[in-house]
């Protein structure tokens, strides 16, 4: 059995996105004195999914009652707004319209009304004239208004979480890409590209786009493959056309919410995302190709099942990716006044979508445990909204795993409750 001094930390978190940092933050608060280290391969936090999304604090209306997404988003949206207010992070509660533009969408819109009420959300049904009261340039047959939706600067949230971890005695190491993981009876030893080996009682995998690869490095079969989808955005040169957040009625057969309009905390308006297969896990443009990662995607049986099942939807997304006029026409369903000249390309994001071998797109958050490890294998939207409760849950699991090595949290050692 290793001595306490032989460990470099008690809990080692891989990934400096908002979920990894919120987990480290939760560890320092749940068990003060726990030695926590975060390894992030980039030179700063929030360089991928966290810093490349629409910046929306989701209300939770879309998610199936009882699911982790619903539970954590409903709780997390309020907590995140409070966190932003406490730490002076830019945010605003703007409310959102979900708009039906075709009669075939009306039953799905009504189902969302029912779901919102099940969740206890303030949902108001609107007709065309009432839509115009909120969004004069938006057209639709009917809509619902959800007042609790907002926007925030998720990158600033991640920086604040990292600062809080450091202030509590934790370590956040940047430029520390994990290259090898050795699991032993006493815990784990992790090697980074810059050489140092970190020994920990418990490993938490919050590697996002690379979470399945990190799980395999640890010797675990994740049972899923991360298939990357690029979300392409445009900025609206006439932001006065949109007052708040405007969404289409989502298609329940696909996990993406469709092209929507988002007025950010800084007053800019973004349109998107268009969702297309990415040719690399960090493939933010079409030319960005990593053959080994593309082979990983194409060799997974689930990828081909997705292609067979959703080829029409996917073909439309690719067409809109390659044709700005086609993308503009899609936007005009909600915002008729927009023109192609109003749209200018904006930085894209990549969604880490976990896919089962049979082609099932994992719809909920997916957290799995193994000896000395906790793997967060699926945490797409609304993970940023739900980061604080997700972090607490992952921290709880990590502390339990750490105690299996005979360790006790410092608060327990000193006679206090955790």
């Amino acid at each position: 059995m290793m001595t306490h001094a032989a460990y470099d930390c008690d809990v080692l978190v891989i990934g400096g996105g908002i979920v990894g940092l919120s987990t480290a933050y939760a560890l320092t608060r749940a068990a003060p004195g726990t030695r926590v280290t975060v390894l992030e391969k980039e030179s700063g936090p929030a360089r991928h999914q966290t810093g490349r999304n629409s910046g929306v604090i989701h209300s939770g209306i879309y998610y199936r009652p009882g699911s982790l997404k619903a539970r954590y988003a409903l709780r997390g949206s309020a907590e995140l707004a409070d966190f932003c207010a406490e730490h002076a992070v830019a945010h605003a509660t703007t409310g959102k319209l979900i708009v039906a533009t075709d009669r075939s969408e009306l039953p799905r819109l009504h189902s969302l009304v029912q779901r919102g009420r099940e969740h206890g959300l303030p949902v108001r049904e609107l007709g065309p004239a009432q839509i115009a009261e909120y969004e004069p340039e938006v057209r639709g047959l009917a809509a619902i208004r959800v007042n609790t939706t907002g926007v925030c600067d998720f990158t600033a949230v991640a920086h604040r979480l990292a600062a809080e971890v450091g202030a509590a005695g934790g370590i956040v190491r940047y430029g520390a890409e994990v290259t090898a993981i050795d699991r032993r009876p006493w815990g784990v030893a992790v090697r980074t590209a810059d050489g140092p080996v970190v020994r920990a009682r418990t490993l938490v995998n919050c590697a996002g786009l690379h979470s399945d690869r990190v799980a395999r490095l640890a010797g675990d079969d994740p049972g899923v493959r991360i298939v990357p989808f690029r979300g392409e955005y445009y900025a609206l040169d006439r932001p006065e056309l949109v007052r708040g957040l405007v969404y289409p009625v989502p298609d329940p057969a696909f996990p993406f919410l469709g092209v929507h309009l988002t007025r950010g905390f800084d007053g800019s308006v973004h349109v998107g995302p268009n969702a297309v297969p990415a040719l690399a896990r960090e493939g933010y443009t079409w030319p960005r190709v990593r053959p080994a990662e593309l082979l990983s995607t194409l060799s997974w049986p689930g990828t081909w099942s997705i292609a067979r099942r959703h080829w029409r939807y996917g073909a439309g997304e690719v067409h809109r990716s390659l044709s700005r006029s086609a993308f503009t026409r899609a936007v005009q369903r909600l915002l008729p006044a927009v023109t192609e000249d109003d749209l200018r390309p904006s930085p894209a994001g990549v969604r880490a979508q976990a896919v089962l071998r049979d082609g099932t797109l994992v719809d909920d958050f997916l957290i799995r445990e193994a000896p000395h490890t906790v793997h967060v294998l699926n945490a797409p939207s609304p993970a940023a909204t739900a980061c604080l409760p997700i972090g607490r849950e992952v921290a709880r699991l990590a502390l339990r795993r750490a105690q299996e090595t005979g360790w006790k949290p410092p608060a327990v050692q000193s006679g206090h409750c955790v």
Side-chain angles (χ1 to χ4, degrees):
M1 180 69 68
M2 287 181 59
T3 65
H4 181 71
Y7 290 99
D8 299 295
C9 60
D10 300 313
V11 181
L12 178 64
V13 179
I14 298 177
I18 202 166
V19 173
L21 290 169
S22 66
T23 297
Y25 171 73
L27 285 164
T28 64
R29 291 171 68 85
T34 300
R35 297 180 299 164
V36 180
T37 296
V38 179
L39 300 180
E40 166 54 48
K41 71 183 180 70
E42 304 295 352
S43 59
R47 296 298 172 88
H48 295 290
Q49 292 185 103
T50 300
R52 289 175 170 267
N53 60 45
S54 57
V56 174
I57 303 175
H58 291 282
S59 65
I61 190 171
Y62 297 115
Y63 313 119
R64 175 176 50 82
S67 65
L68 294 179
K69 280 187 176 182
R71 285 163 46 197
Y72 292 162
L74 289 165
R75 192 182 313 156
S77 59
E79 289 185 20
L80 186 61
D82 290 342
F83 182 92
C84 290
E86 179 182 352
H87 296 285
V89 174
H91 72 291
T93 301
T94 59
K96 168 172 72 174
L97 295 185
I98 304 173
V99 181
T101 58
D102 187 273
R103 294 191 65 83
S104 64
E105 297 171 339
L106 294 175
R108 298 206 305 268
L109 187 70
H110 183 69
S111 295
L112 282 178
V113 172
Q114 298 303 113
R115 177 166 290 183
R117 288 173 178 162
E118 284 183 62
H119 289 323
L121 294 171
V123 178
R124 181 187 175 199
E125 298 180 73
L126 308 176
Q130 294 163 309
I131 293 173
E133 292 176 12
Y134 288 102
E135 294 285 353
E137 299 294 338
V138 170
R139 298 291 178 268
L141 300 177
I144 56 179
R145 168 82 176 176
V146 188
N147 289 331
T148 52
T149 305
V151 291
C152 81
D153 184 346
F154 284 124
T155 298
V157 172
H159 278 275
R160 186 68 253 166
L161 288 168
E164 292 293 310
V165 170
I171 297 171
V172 182
R173 274 182 50 197
Y174 299 113
E177 181 174 3
V178 171
T179 57
I181 300 171
D182 185 13
R183 185 159 47 199
R184 300 291 183 87
W186 47 261
V188 293
V190 175
R191 182 175 294 279
T192 58
D194 55 357
V197 172
V198 184
R199 295 172 178 83
R201 299 176 185 275
T202 299
L203 171 71
V204 176
N205 168 15
C206 295
L209 287 158
H210 303 279
S211 59
D212 59 335
R213 182 179 66 83
V214 169
R216 289 193 297 274
L217 281 179
D220 296 320
D221 177 7
V224 298
R225 184 70 50 86
I226 295 298
V227 175
F229 287 88
R230 184 170 60 255
E232 299 169 333
Y233 292 88
Y234 286 89
L236 187 62
D237 272 342
R238 290 194 289 161
E240 66 274 11
L241 293 178
V242 179
R243 292 180 174 178
L245 308 179
V246 184
Y247 280 65
V249 180
D251 182 348
F254 218 65
F256 307 107
L257 296 177
V259 173
H260 48 272
L261 314 169
T262 306
R263 174 174 282 275
F265 57 87
D266 60 357
S268 65
V269 173
H270 282 79
V271 184
N274 195 51
V276 297
L279 306 182
R281 297 203 179 195
E282 297 166 17
Y284 298 114
T285 62
W286 277 114
R288 175 72 164 173
V289 181
R290 287 193 171 177
E293 293 177 0
L294 180 57
L295 179 61
S296 173
T297 296
L298 295 178
S299 64
W300 185 243
T303 300
W304 298 100
S305 296
I306 295 171
R308 286 191 296 269
R309 196 175 306 153
H310 299 297
W311 70 270
R312 288 184 186 276
Y313 185 100
E317 296 288 303
V318 171
H319 179 51
R320 286 189 289 275
S321 172
L322 300 174
S323 168
R324 189 181 302 192
S325 61
F327 185 91
T328 303
R329 288 194 296 273
V331 179
Q332 286 171 336
R333 294 185 61 190
L334 286 171
L335 191 68
V338 75
T339 68
E340 191 172 336
D341 290 339
D342 291 327
L343 302 175
R344 52 185 170 83
S346 189
V350 175
R351 174 187 177 119
Q353 177 61 55
V355 178
L356 299 178
R357 182 173 287 274
D358 66 1
T360 301
L361 299 168
V362 178
D363 183 55
D364 207 355
F365 299 140
L366 179 61
I367 303 168
R368 287 184 173 164
E369 296 180 80
H372 305 307
T373 56
V374 180
H375 300 292
V376 181
L377 294 168
N378 197 58
S381 179
T385 297
C387 66
L388 294 173
I390 291 175
R392 284 198 301 274
E393 173 60 13
V394 178
R396 182 186 69 82
L397 298 175
L399 288 171
R400 186 175 70 185
R401 287 288 170 183
Q403 289 177 69
E404 292 173 356
T405 67
W407 170 81
K408 291 183 179 181
V412 173
Q413 292 173 349
S414 61
H416 299 289
C417 296
V418 176

